[in-house]
Amino acid sequence: MGRVATGVINNLARKVGEEYEGMYANVEEAYDIARRKCERDGKLREALGGGEVIVGPVTMQMSNSMNVNGKKTDVTRIGMVASSSASGNNVASISATMESVTAGTKNVRVIATMPSGQSFEVDGVGGGGVGGNVDVMPATNDGDANFASDVIDGEIIEASFDDAKSEDE
């Protein structure tokens, strides 16, 4: 009986350790993605008063894992605080949720909540007016009369499900 119990306990301890390592890796990855989104988001930067967005350490974390019909779904939620280098008085509460199914694509949603209660999604671009987040290539109109080479031609093709029906119907 002792050997059986020892084997079961060792197996259980190994499985718990593997799950813990997976949860820890998910928290690190969710934090890294959320931090990068916050640092690049113009709307968050503007709401914090301009300057560089500074994201603090994880203050809250929750992990959930579920296995249904062979598909493992992991959900990781973390919380942290963001502030601005220009104005340390203004802060935002950041919550990030990362979902992944069977080691596939990870979806990370980041929400910022200001002290006023205003909440908005942080997507890494945000339409904020402080600092530019979108790099735009300037047009190359250098006075050359043959500027048509700078224009990209395209064709819009309209189609509907009716077009896919056979003529026999």
Side-chain angles (χ1 to χ4, degrees), residues 3-148:
R3 287 184 184 176
V4 172
T6 302
V8 170
I9 290 172
N10 286 340
N11 191 28
L12 180 63
R14 184 179 48 78
K15 293 233 183 244
V16 168
E18 289 172 0
E19 285 298 316
Y20 179 76
E21 287 175 8
M23 287 187 294
Y24 183 75
N26 285 344
V27 167
E28 282 187 331
E29 186 173 14
Y31 176 77
D32 187 49
I33 293 169
R35 179 186 50 78
R36 283 185 279 135
K37 282 186 172 188
C38 289
E39 290 172 350
R40 295 177 182 158
D41 193 80
K43 188 172 184 180
L44 178 60
R45 184 181 303 119
E46 184 177 284
L48 291 172
E52 182 182 342
V53 174
I54 302 165
V55 180
V58 173
T59 57
M60 183 277 304
Q61 69 183 43
M62 192 263 333
S63 294
N64 184 14
S65 183
M66 180 174 35
N67 196 333
V68 177
N69 295 331
K71 289 192 175 188
K72 184 178 179 185
T73 303
D74 291 316
V75 178
T76 303
R77 290 186 176 92
I78 59 172
M80 60 217 123
V81 176
S83 62
S84 169
S85 62
S87 169
N89 296 336
N90 211 0
V91 295
S93 173
I94 306 295
S95 65
T97 303
M98 181 174 79
E99 298 177 5
S100 64
V101 178
T102 312
T105 305
K106 293 180 167 72
N107 179 28
V108 180
R109 185 164 189 230
V110 181
I111 303 294
T113 304
M114 303 305 295
S116 64
Q118 174 198 16
S119 292
F120 53 90
E121 186 163 359
V122 175
D123 58 11
V125 289
V130 179
N133 288 314
V134 180
D135 294 328
V136 179
M137 279 184 44
T140 57
N141 187 357
D142 54 3
D144 184 5
N146 188 9
F147 63 88

Side-chain angles (χ1 to χ4, degrees), residues 145-156:
N146 188 9
F147 63 88
S149 63
D150 293 337
V151 177
I152 298 172
D153 291 328
E155 180 180 355
I156 298 175

